[in-house]
Amino acid sequence: MKTSLGNADTVEKIVSFVEEEFRGLDLSSDVKSIPYLACELCEMLSEDLTEGQIKALHAARRFLDQGVKEDADAHVTDLAQRVGKPYPPATTQAAVAKERLLWIGLNRIAELSGYAVEFTLSVAQKAGLAPIQMVPAVQRMLKSVLRE
């Protein structure tokens, strides 16, 4: 029985549906869908983002929508100093995940794949989003990908 995205209440169920939709497609040249997805997920968390994180999100959107990379480059440099490195001991898992989600939004080389979707959604879940909250963003991404 085919999985339905509407009742996907876990990241695994969402990814299962996405992978079914991706089956047989060549997605290797799509390097924007994952950053767009990450930006949408960050926007859902915007009330919990710092001013600097909101600026990074806006820079990521400007890069994706308009090709303006100067601000995005500055935020990549800033985040590169922290992402993937030890954070101070008191830093919450959600705070680290929000920065990783912004990092994904600023990424310019991540090919679209089921694995990339799973990683992005897993980070968003650690940042505080429930899988059911992510479904609309995933649906918009799929609509865009399948339309092309």
Side-chain angles (χ1 to χ4, degrees):
M1 183 167 90
K2 186 170 179 169
T3 307
S4 168
L5 195 52
N7 62 13
D9 57 354
T10 66
V11 167
E12 293 78 15
K13 288 179 183 176
I14 296 171
V15 171
S16 176
F17 182 86
V18 167
E19 287 179 336
E20 285 181 42
E21 295 296 310
F22 287 174
R23 191 167 292 131
L25 299 178
D26 177 13
L27 303 170
S28 61
S29 64
D30 184 337
V31 294
K32 286 193 170 186
S33 290
I34 291 297
Y36 269 117
L37 177 61
C39 285
E40 278 208 54
L41 297 170
C42 283
E43 287 168 358
M44 292 177 191
L45 295 162
S46 64
E47 291 181 8
D48 298 327
L49 298 178
T50 66
E51 184 178 328
Q53 290 170 330
I54 290 171
K55 286 179 182 179
L57 175 58
H58 291 167
R61 279 289 195 186
R62 274 192 305 281
F63 174 74
L64 290 167
D65 294 338
Q66 302 165 13
V68 177
K69 63 183 209 173
E70 291 77 18
D71 285 345
D73 288 347
H75 290 287
V76 166
T77 301
D78 178 53
L79 284 170
Q81 296 174 25
R82 294 186 301 281
V83 173
K85 297 180 175 114
Y87 280 76
T91 308
T92 66
Q93 178 180 350
V96 173
K98 287 173 194 155
E99 291 216 327
R100 287 189 176 146
L101 201 54
L102 284 166
W103 179 261
I104 296 166
L106 289 161
N107 189 311
R108 299 174 194 166
I109 59 170
E111 292 179 5
L112 179 58
S113 67
Y115 173 77
V117 171
E118 180 177 20
F119 180 79
T120 303
L121 297 181
S122 295
V123 171
Q125 188 172 32
K126 288 177 184 173
L129 290 176
I132 198 71
Q133 293 175 288
M134 301 178 217
V135 168
V138 173
Q139 288 172 322
R140 283 187 290 278
M141 179 205 59
L142 283 173
K143 185 177 179 183
S144 174
V145 169
L146 298 176
R147 170 182 47 174
E148 295 173 0

